Amino acid sequence: MMNKWDIPGAPAEKPTHNAITEKLKTDLLTLNMGPQHPATHGVLRVEIKTDSEVVAAAIPHLGYLHRCMEKHCENLDYRGVIPFVDRLDYLASMSMEWTYVAAVEKMLGTEVPRRAELLRILTVELQRIASHLMAFGTYALDLGAFSPFLYAFDEREKILRLFEEISGARLLYNYIWIGGVWNDWTDEQLTRVSEFLDAFEPETDKYHDLVSVNKIFVERTAHVGVLSVEDCFAYGATGPVLRGSGYKWDLRKNMPYSLYSEFDFDVPVGTAEHGELGDCWNRYIVRMLEVKESIKIIRQVLQKLEPGSVMGKVPKIIKLPKGEVYMRQECPRGELGIHLVSEGTDSKEPYRLKVKSPCFTHVSMLPHMAPGQMVADFVASIGSIDIVLGEVDR
Amino acid sequence: MSYTVPHNSFKKYFYDLFNAVKTTVVGMWITFRYVWGVKSVSIEYPEVREVLPERARMRLFNDAQNCISCTQCAMACPVDCIYISSEKLPEGAEIKKTSNGQSIRLHLTQFTIDTALCCYCGLCTTVCPTECLTHSHDYEFAQYTIDAMKYDYLAPDVKAWRDRIVKA
């Protein structure tokens, strides 16, 4: 027997590669998602390699919104940096401001009046509600539901209107200043906050009925984009992404800063009511539960508020002593870290300002989440980590 | 949701169907209730305008008669959009007073703000000692060229639109 087929000249084994199979092989298709794609939440470009409908690899390309903010801040006085840190996460400017201002105050040793600290907590928690409402609305929009977006924006608008009255701007406030806050809230405005919370609390239940338990939404998000706690630790994920994986870590609770130790609130983690821990649904539900916790905190702030000064004693020209400080706080999207280095009292400008942004960490998890997902599920994954590109690129 | 999810795949099929119909109906009912009784929140912009809050930070306006050319605003500005220059008053010139009693010892020769650069942070208005630099409530100042965004507050026609935009 000369070969398997008993034909002279034929190869010993069946050919695995010939000209036809060479032509018939499947190849990965490179697809660019963004930077002007509505589902990428800003100017994020994700280069995805697709094998038919399945994503084989995803490579995020950053830098479309890079503004040289860190370098630019080295040529600004300490007060002038505040409008620039506003523009990091433009959906949660108050949190950004507070982290930077707290870093400067720590180096300066400023005593902040109690009313100012409470007002900061009030504004930051309101901002957290506004930011999570935005995340909720756009996430539902990504998955094809339009009306939750409108309901969320209706409520968010009321918060922004309050912020516009106290600070003068709708998004980029420059409200939290070194030593305190810019303007005091009037009693009438505080009453309106209280009324808003009373009206808003039933609305959250409505969102729950409308979106969270909806079968279509659950099917789209449960068991999609699963991140284990080990993955979150390996990448350094924080905020709702870490808590969605079931790990209870919140800087307000674990390492209380400001007056947070006085407040009674819970740290919500993923419930795994639908899907499994660490999937898109659990990251989503953590945000919705956090909104309720923020409402709790604001109610307590309103009870604790007493009249008083809102601005501490700060020199007219701020010069920090030589040294460095790393300040981190819990922002709606995770832990924001500000590393501030000062050259000494001769200089009115920071020597170096490094921002550790949570969104950058979460974007770097996309290549880990993407392989094996459908393209539509990948959109759900991007939405669930809730990134703001102003903070990713800086 | 107090049902226990059946493990039997036949039962699960019908349970999923029932669940899908039920949650969709609940959601549609929430949306449907907005047909009546809910007041519209959107504003038909050019016809109806929202009244801005008192502290709203829109276009900057400098009341040049009260300016003492101290350049504190230009130094506080994080984006350097305020161009200000002044010269010494000639000998024996009359020293005018601002509305809050400070004497004007310098003659203001240029006060221009590049509104295209301005980031509306409000830092310049807080350092102004005579409170002549303020944020007005004018937010409709789109222009065809970027040069037209530079507003000269010493121009002769400044009085014409001053009354329109300055806060009462």
Side-chain angles (χ1 to χ4, degrees):
Chain A
M1 193 172 127
M2 60 183 114
N3 56 39
K4 205 177 171 183
W5 299 281
D6 208 9
I7 300 166
E13 284 294 319
K14 192 185 175 186
T16 49
H17 289 288
N18 61 22
I20 296 168
T21 48
E22 192 70 26
K23 280 178 188 165
L24 281 176
K25 72 169 186 191
T26 53
D27 210 351
L28 294 181
L29 175 73
T30 305
L31 199 69
N32 276 304
M33 229 170 134
Q36 269 86 33
H37 194 281
T40 56
H41 290 239
V43 282
L44 172 68
R45 178 162 75 95
V46 189
E47 189 187 332
I48 47 180
K49 312 268 189 211
T50 56
D51 181 3
S52 68
E53 186 75 3
V54 179
V55 179
I59 308 149
H61 290 268
L62 313 175
Y64 287 91
L65 205 59
H66 187 67
R67 291 148 296 173
C68 269
M69 171 261 176
E70 288 176 9
K71 187 70 191 165
H72 199 97
C73 289
E74 292 169 16
N75 298 317
L76 293 166
D77 57 354
Y78 289 103
R79 282 194 183 89
V81 173
I82 298 176
F84 282 81
V85 289
D86 263 347
R87 283 155 176 78
L88 287 179
D89 181 351
Y90 39 78
L91 298 176
S93 296
M94 291 287 187
S95 310
M96 304 287 123
E97 281 169 17
W98 195 11
T99 316
Y100 166 73
V101 164
V104 175
E105 279 167 359
K106 198 172 177 184
M107 280 187 100
L108 204 61
T110 314
E111 193 87 3
V112 182
R114 187 180 160 81
R115 186 177 170 90
E117 276 297 336
L118 286 171
L119 286 178
R120 284 176 179 184
I121 292 175
L122 175 69
T123 49
V124 165
E125 294 303 324
L126 275 175
Q127 181 78 85
R128 195 182 305 274
I129 293 176
S131 173
H132 283 339
L133 279 177
M134 178 90 180
F136 159 79
T138 51
Y139 192 41
L141 197 64
D142 280 349
L143 301 180
F146 191 71
S147 25
F149 173 75
L150 299 175
Y151 303 154
F153 261 53
D154 184 11
E155 299 300 321
R156 180 174 174 264
E157 189 58 41
K158 291 171 190 163
I159 300 177
L160 294 194
R161 176 74 192 188
L162 273 166
F163 283 168
E164 193 179 8
E165 281 179 24
I166 54 150
S167 73
R170 283 167 49 85
L171 282 180
L172 308 162
Y173 310 104
N174 190 13
Y175 175 67
I176 296 179
W177 278 7
I178 297 164
V181 294
W182 187 350
N183 297 310
D184 200 356
W185 292 60
T186 62
D187 288 345
E188 188 263 334
Q189 282 160 342
L190 292 172
T191 318
R192 270 173 50 208
V193 173
S194 173
E195 285 166 4
F196 165 75
L197 292 183
D198 292 342
F200 176 66
E201 207 162 15
E203 294 280 312
T204 53
D205 299 334
K206 193 175 81 180
Y207 301 152
H208 189 73
D209 290 342
L210 187 61
V211 177
S212 311
V213 296
N214 188 285
K215 185 72 181 164
I216 304 165
F217 183 78
V218 171
E219 287 291 316
R220 285 293 306 274
T221 53
H223 304 290
V224 170
V226 181
L227 291 169
S228 65
V229 181
E230 288 75 29
D231 292 338
C232 290
F233 283 165
Y235 281 90
T238 48
V241 176
L242 179 61
R243 290 193 284 274
S245 298
Y247 191 78
K248 210 167 190 170
W249 177 262
D250 189 319
L251 283 183
R252 292 175 292 169
K253 204 79 175 173
N254 294 67
M255 297 166 71
Y257 52 89
S258 183
L259 302 175
Y260 273 114
S261 50
E262 292 179 18
F263 291 92
D264 170 38
F265 62 99
D266 294 331
V267 179
V269 291
T271 54
E273 190 186 329
H274 297 282
E276 58 194 289
L277 276 182
D279 64 359
C280 292
W281 192 86
N282 281 291
R283 282 195 286 276
Y284 157 84
I285 204 70
V286 164
R287 295 201 176 88
M288 297 319 286
L289 295 175
E290 267 182 32
V291 166
K292 293 192 174 179
E293 297 305 317
S294 293
I295 294 175
K296 245 195 239 174
I297 296 175
I298 296 168
R299 287 231 167 93
Q300 292 171 49
V301 171
L302 292 175
Q303 281 172 0
K304 283 173 199 276
L305 268 178
E306 283 161 14
S309 159
V310 293
M311 199 68 188
K313 273 190 183 140
V314 182
K316 207 171 179 188
I317 293 170
I318 295 170
K319 290 178 175 175
L320 298 190
K322 190 176 168 63
E324 53 190 287
V325 66
Y326 183 73
M327 175 59 75
R328 55 180 186 159
Q329 289 191 354
E330 188 74 30
C331 294
R333 284 171 183 77
E335 281 177 29
L336 179 83
I338 296 267
H339 188 186
L340 185 68
V341 185
S342 166
E343 238 179 345
T345 43
D346 307 334
S347 173
K348 290 191 285 184
E349 298 148 358
Y351 178 71
R352 179 82 171 90
L353 182 78
K354 170 79 181 88
V355 180
K356 182 259 158 192
S357 104
C359 294
F360 182 81
T361 316
H362 298 158
V363 164
S364 66
M365 296 176 92
L366 281 180
H368 177 82
M369 290 161 83
Q373 286 187 323
M374 296 286 200
V375 176
D377 289 344
F378 183 59
V379 169
S381 298
I382 296 179
S384 75
I385 58 173
D386 187 27
I387 43 173
V388 164
L389 266 291
E391 199 182 349
V392 175
D393 287 341
R394 304 192 287 281
Chain B
M1 286 291 151
S2 57
Y3 312 98
T4 47
V5 179
H7 292 289
N8 186 323
S9 68
F10 181 73
K11 273 185 183 170
K12 190 173 186 307
Y13 176 78
F14 284 102
Y15 169 76
D16 280 351
L17 267 183
F18 166 73
N19 194 8
V21 171
K22 188 192 164 217
T23 52
T24 311
V25 166
V26 167
M28 293 300 275
W29 174 243
I30 290 171
T31 319
F32 188 66
R33 274 185 301 183
Y34 275 76
V35 174
W36 310 279
V38 180
K39 213 181 135 207
S40 169
V41 286
S42 48
I43 293 174
E44 291 168 14
Y45 159 59
E47 286 84 27
V48 188
R49 275 151 214 258
E50 202 179 6
V51 180
L52 293 174
E54 198 189 330
R55 284 174 186 146
R57 303 202 300 260
M58 303 295 150
R59 184 164 104 188
L60 284 164
F61 179 80
N62 185 34
D63 187 5
Q65 277 146 4
N66 279 334
C67 184
I68 58 168
S69 323
C70 64
T71 70
Q72 284 198 53
C73 48
M75 283 194 282
C77 181
V79 290
D80 299 334
C81 71
I82 302 176
Y83 310 121
I84 176 167
S85 60
S86 55
E87 58 190 27
K88 273 189 178 171
L89 282 177
E91 282 292 321
E94 180 205 1
I95 292 177
K96 287 179 191 159
K97 296 265 183 186
T98 62
S99 57
N100 67 351
Q102 297 204 35
S103 32
I104 304 170
R105 299 186 183 281
L106 292 165
H107 176 58
L108 191 64
T109 53
Q110 187 198 18
F111 196 99
T112 307
I113 292 176
D114 193 345
T115 321
L117 271 180
C118 177
C119 69
Y120 304 93
C121 61
L123 285 174
C124 52
T125 59
T126 55
V127 295
C128 185
T130 58
E131 290 173 15
C132 64
L133 187 61
T134 48
H135 279 285
S136 65
H137 277 187
D138 182 30
Y139 52 89
E140 295 162 314
F141 47 96
Q143 299 286 353
Y144 284 100
T145 59
I146 197 140
D147 275 352
M149 295 293 277
K150 285 187 180 128
Y151 287 99
D152 181 8
Y153 291 94
L154 296 174
D157 62 333
V158 83
K159 269 212 179 307
W161 49 267
R162 177 182 184 272
D163 299 333
R164 183 165 66 87
I165 65 167
V166 171
K167 293 174 212 176

